[in-house]
Amino acid sequence: MAVLLIAAIFAVCSFVLLLLANLGTTFDSTFLPELYLVKFSQSINDRSIRYGVYNSCLYYGGKLNSCTSKTPAYLLSSTQFAELCGADLNDLPSVAVFKDLVAEYNLTIFRGIVLILPAVIFAFIVFIISFSVRKNRSSNTVPFIGAFAGLFGFFSGIGGLIIVIVTFWKTLEELESRVEGLSHQWGISIYLVGIGSGCVFVSVVCFLISLFTYNTEKRESVHWEDDDDMKTASYNNINSVPTPAHVDQTNYNYPAQPTYPPSSYPSQQQGYQQGYQKSGSYYI
């Protein structure tokens, strides 16, 4: 059961880390806005955009200005990017310039970031299974389900992470070369998703170890039980053998003790006894 305890610990870590990554930029709090995937910064006007799992938020000088609607698989807002670069939203031609710039890059793949959502769900399932199996386990069915749930969570989280990196890796370099003062910074949520996915993978490994060792432990337990039964049976058989104190003397064919005729002379009785011994029918 020690390996299942390890699985439970890593499942808890995975769930917490992936949950924080999902909540980042989604709610206005003391620290959640700092949990973003990537940040665009414009040094000329001191503006920035923080991209999270469900929305992106525009900041003026470190203060929140506006956020897009919270939607799974959302698209990057070209209007928000134009405002980041200093375009006047009332000046449609200047906004159109930045919209056309963003449209040159295939950023629709960014919708695949929604894969981070099922990753936290599968991590929670692994967390529940790991604790329930430790308390009551009768077969390998539940750990098998836990291993599969962990694998789905791992591939889901890693898939979402790869999509984010692929979307911005080349795109950011090219945009930075074409827009003056534009730069980017990877956020802490990138690491939260990566570490969280790694933790759930460790739980999967622990489940697999548990699957293979459970049958071995079960066979060893049956083997020891059989040995105990054999020892108990042997002990009972030994106790059932009659000891000399319980032997029924009537069951053995001992020669009858000689009888002597009544006499008041000891020497006469000794003669009878010696004659009986010489005949070979009485042994002392």
Side-chain angles (χ1 to χ4, degrees), residues 36-250:
Y36 52 84
L37 294 168
V38 64
K39 180 173 71 172
F40 286 179
S41 299
Q42 177 54 264
S43 58
I44 297 176
N45 53 26
D46 195 22
R47 297 177 183 178
S48 62
I49 299 177
R50 299 176 183 180
Y51 292 94
V53 178
Y54 303 108
N55 66 339
S56 59
C57 296
L58 178 65
Y59 286 79
Y60 281 16
K63 294 183 179 180
L64 180 63
N65 179 268
S66 62
C67 292
T68 60
S69 60
K70 299 176 179 64
T71 307
Y74 71 98
L75 276 174
L76 298 181
S77 173
S78 57
T79 302
Q80 191 181 53
F81 180 77
E83 187 177 358
L84 167 71
C85 296
D88 185 359
L89 298 182
N90 295 321
D91 185 3
L92 297 181
S94 62
V95 174
V97 172
F98 292 101
K99 284 187 175 181
D100 294 339
L101 179 62
V102 174
E104 294 180 13
Y105 304 95
N106 184 21
L107 299 179
T108 56
I109 191 176
F110 186 72
R111 287 179 176 271
I113 197 176
V114 72
L115 290 175
I116 298 177
L117 173 60
V120 69
I121 296 175
F122 284 121
F124 180 74
I125 294 174
V126 173
F127 161 67
I128 295 298
I129 291 177
S130 59
F131 271 98
S132 63
V133 170
R134 287 190 65 248
K135 295 181 179 180
N136 185 16
R137 179 178 182 179
S138 58
S139 66
N140 277 335
T141 303
V142 177
F144 186 78
I145 296 173
F148 262 94
L151 281 177
F152 284 127
F154 170 73
F155 286 117
S156 180
I158 292 297
L161 183 63
I162 292 174
I163 286 174
V164 173
I165 295 176
V166 169
T167 301
F168 290 112
W169 192 274
K170 287 293 184 181
T171 303
L172 291 175
E173 292 181 0
E174 295 184 11
L175 285 175
E176 289 172 4
S177 63
R178 299 178 64 177
V179 179
E180 184 181 359
L182 186 66
S183 62
H184 75 280
Q185 177 183 348
W186 297 107
I188 191 173
S189 288
I190 288 286
Y191 305 101
L192 292 179
V193 174
I195 298 173
S197 300
C199 287
V200 77
F201 183 76
V202 173
S203 297
V204 171
V205 173
C206 291
F207 274 123
L208 293 177
I209 294 174
S210 175
L211 288 175
F212 289 105
T213 57
Y214 177 71
N215 290 330
T216 303
E217 293 175 355
K218 188 175 181 180
R219 287 194 298 267
E220 290 179 353
S221 176
V222 173
H223 174 70
W224 285 111
E225 289 178 358
D226 291 341
D227 286 348
D228 292 340
D229 292 341
M230 292 177 64
K231 292 178 181 178
T232 303
S234 300
Y235 180 77
N236 293 334
N237 291 334
I238 292 174
N239 289 337
S240 64
V241 175
T243 59
H246 299 87
V247 172
D248 186 1
Q249 301 292 337
T250 60

Side-chain angles (χ1 to χ4, degrees), residues 247-275:
V247 172
D248 186 1
Q249 301 292 337
T250 60
N251 294 332
Y252 295 88
N253 296 322
Y254 292 114
Q257 297 295 329
T259 58
Y260 309 104
S263 175
S264 59
Y265 300 101
S267 60
Q268 187 177 4
Q269 292 182 0
Q270 184 177 4
Y272 281 115
Q273 184 176 2
Q274 291 176 355

